[in-house]
Amino acid sequence: MAEIDPLEITPEHVYLSRRRFLTGVGATVASIVLFGGCDGPEPAPPSDDWCQSAQVGADTDELGDPLTPCEDIISYNNFYEFTTDKQKVALLAQDFRTSPWNVEVGGLVRKPRTVSMDELLQRYPQEERIYRLRCVEAWSMVIPWLGFPLASLLEDVEPTGKARYVRFETLYDPEQMPGQKNRTYDWPYVEGLRLDEAMHKLTILATGIYGRPLLPQDGAPIRLVVPWKYGFKSIKSVVRIDLVEEMPVSLWMATARHEYGFYGNVNPDIPHPRWSQSSERRIGELRRRPTLPLNGYADEVAHLYEGMDPKELF
Ligand SMILES: Nc1nc2c(c(=O)[nH]1)N[C@H]1C(S)=C(S)[C@@H](COP(=O)(O)O)O[C@H]1N2
Ligand SMILES: [Mo]
């Protein structure tokens, strides 16, 4: 395949999606209703253009750390379904079809249902959440997400008394996602949470960043975000959510159980078998900074793990 510099090409659909977004846009993130009416975002290649209409309600997270530039969030990605090369995900994912898109919610629930992106955006108001994202590889970002609490969706399907975990699945479509032809991994990408983690108010399903619908490289049209866990837990482009009785086996557990546990809680004191987790490189900064227990969210979530051995929680 010929290499094309994504910054040199400006296909028509970029202009179209920008125009649509700019028409009648309000000054705040409330403008999110704009894409409540369409069925997911237009895919666009990585470009500085896309970020020009970024909108955000604050410049820092609650710790005073600046937001990671929009350009970095859309051009440095982990999404192994496309490629393991972080700087090439955006290009390989640019034509990923994110519309129409349905999410099936089932398993141990009284009201299983298949919901379209349209319905999700109409039913659950989108809010801005500025969260730190700490990758297990020891880089991090501060990302202004748009999304809604996963709890709202789970409450609507009414989990039965037997449900103890939530299992999430990414789309499986090797024609669109060339990385899925790599049989090193057991596709589709699967992740899981304990039910109380899934119901926690910090756990969201994200549909946008910087006031705009997600681009494919960031997990369009809908992905999980669990800010106190390593980034691999925040599964992208979700098509299935099942309430289950047994602890799900994630793709990473199946690939390297001794390196990636079920919990994936950020803990500076528990090194990865191959590197330290005590500090991290914040994208855009020169100096490393210390990694915070539970990624800085300990006050909100430490109670979920009372009495558990931290070694179980890696
Ligand atoms: N389906 C799927 N979800 C995924 C991944 C992936 O490869 N496939 N990578 C994970 C990892 S390791 C990280 S750090 C985050 C990165 O999210 P970002 O590219 O939007 O920053 O997505 C997570 N979700
Ligand atoms: Mo990651």
Side-chain angles (χ1 to χ4, degrees):
M1 194 181 76
E3 291 278 338
I4 303 165
D5 181 351
L7 298 177
E8 284 173 6
I9 48 171
T10 314
E12 188 75 1
H13 62 256
V14 181
Y15 288 123
L16 293 178
S17 59
R18 271 185 72 209
R19 287 241 329 264
R20 190 171 62 197
F21 185 79
L22 290 169
T23 309
V25 76
T28 69
V29 291
S31 61
I32 197 70
V33 291
L34 253 185
F35 65 87
C38 59
D39 201 358
E42 297 272 345
S47 100
D48 292 347
D49 263 21
W50 192 84
C51 289
Q52 270 165 24
S53 48
Q55 299 202 24
V56 70
D59 300 325
T60 69
D61 66 10
E62 82 287 5
L63 303 178
D65 291 339
L67 304 187
T68 300
C70 174
E71 289 82 359
D72 291 335
I73 300 173
I74 66 169
S75 61
Y76 188 84
N77 300 98
N78 269 335
F79 202 164
Y80 278 29
E81 282 85 340
F82 292 99
T83 169
T84 55
D85 181 338
K86 292 186 222 314
Q87 270 133 352
K88 292 208 173 115
V89 173
L91 187 60
L92 284 170
Q94 65 178 321
D95 296 322
F96 183 56
R97 284 189 302 276
T98 56
S99 169
W101 192 277
N102 290 325
V103 182
E104 276 181 67
V105 193
L108 302 171
V109 299
R110 272 177 213 100
K111 296 182 171 163
R113 45 194 296 234
T114 300
V115 236
S116 70
M117 277 309 292
D118 265 352
E119 280 177 83
L120 284 169
L121 291 168
Q122 267 156 28
R123 186 170 172 87
Y124 307 106
Q126 306 295 299
E127 10 173 322
E128 185 172 80
R129 297 281 184 100
I130 297 173
Y131 286 158
R132 293 169 290 286
L133 177 93
R134 180 20 171 111
C135 177
V136 73
E137 300 160 339
W139 54 267
S140 63
M141 296 189 184
V142 181
I143 303 182
W145 300 106
L146 289 171
F148 59 95
L150 173 62
S152 307
L153 175 62
L154 296 181
E155 279 158 12
D156 282 349
V157 296
E158 299 181 16
T160 69
K162 271 196 158 180
R164 291 185 55 221
Y165 295 91
V166 186
R167 181 182 181 281
F168 304 85
E169 220 175 271
T170 296
L171 180 70
Y172 179 70
D173 186 353
E175 289 315 308
Q176 287 203 79
M177 300 168 126
Q180 287 181 332
K181 291 177 179 157
N182 175 354
R183 306 306 312 181
T184 317
Y185 302 99
D186 195 7
W187 309 107
Y189 199 102
V190 167
E191 262 305 339
L193 295 173
R194 224 169 53 193
L195 186 53
D196 58 343
E197 299 177 317
M199 297 296 285
H200 192 279
K201 64 180 196 301
L202 291 181
T203 303
I204 58 166
L205 287 171
T207 59
I209 64 160
Y210 270 104
R212 303 202 55 188
L214 285 177
L215 287 171
Q217 58 264 40
D218 287 302
I222 188 164
R223 57 97 55 91
L224 182 70
V225 179
V226 195
W228 68 93
K229 294 178 177 284
Y230 291 118
F232 64 84
K233 297 295 294 180
S234 292
I235 180 173
K236 294 177 168 181
S237 306
V238 171
V239 291
R240 273 203 76 87
I241 300 176
D242 283 302
L243 283 284
V244 296
E245 195 173 352
E246 308 276 318
M247 180 184 283
V249 178
S250 68
L251 173 135
W252 290 110
M253 291 162 77
T255 305
R257 182 65 186 85
H258 52 290
E259 299 196 0
Y260 307 99
F262 172 77
Y263 283 93
N265 285 356
V266 175
N267 188 338
D269 300 326
I270 299 193
H272 184 275
R274 292 182 279 133
W275 59 84
S276 163
Q277 293 291 26
S278 66
S279 70
E280 66 201 56
R281 185 170 66 90
R282 180 67 51 85
I283 299 302
E285 292 180 359
L286 294 175
R287 234 177 267 271
R288 290 178 79 86
R289 49 165 70 220
T291 286
L292 303 173
L294 292 165
N295 205 23
Y297 301 96
D299 286 352
E300 285 93 338
V301 298
H303 70 272
L304 296 172
Y305 310 105
E306 251 161 44
M308 288 184 71
D309 181 347
K311 291 199 186 67
E312 274 180 70
L313 296 167
F314 75 96

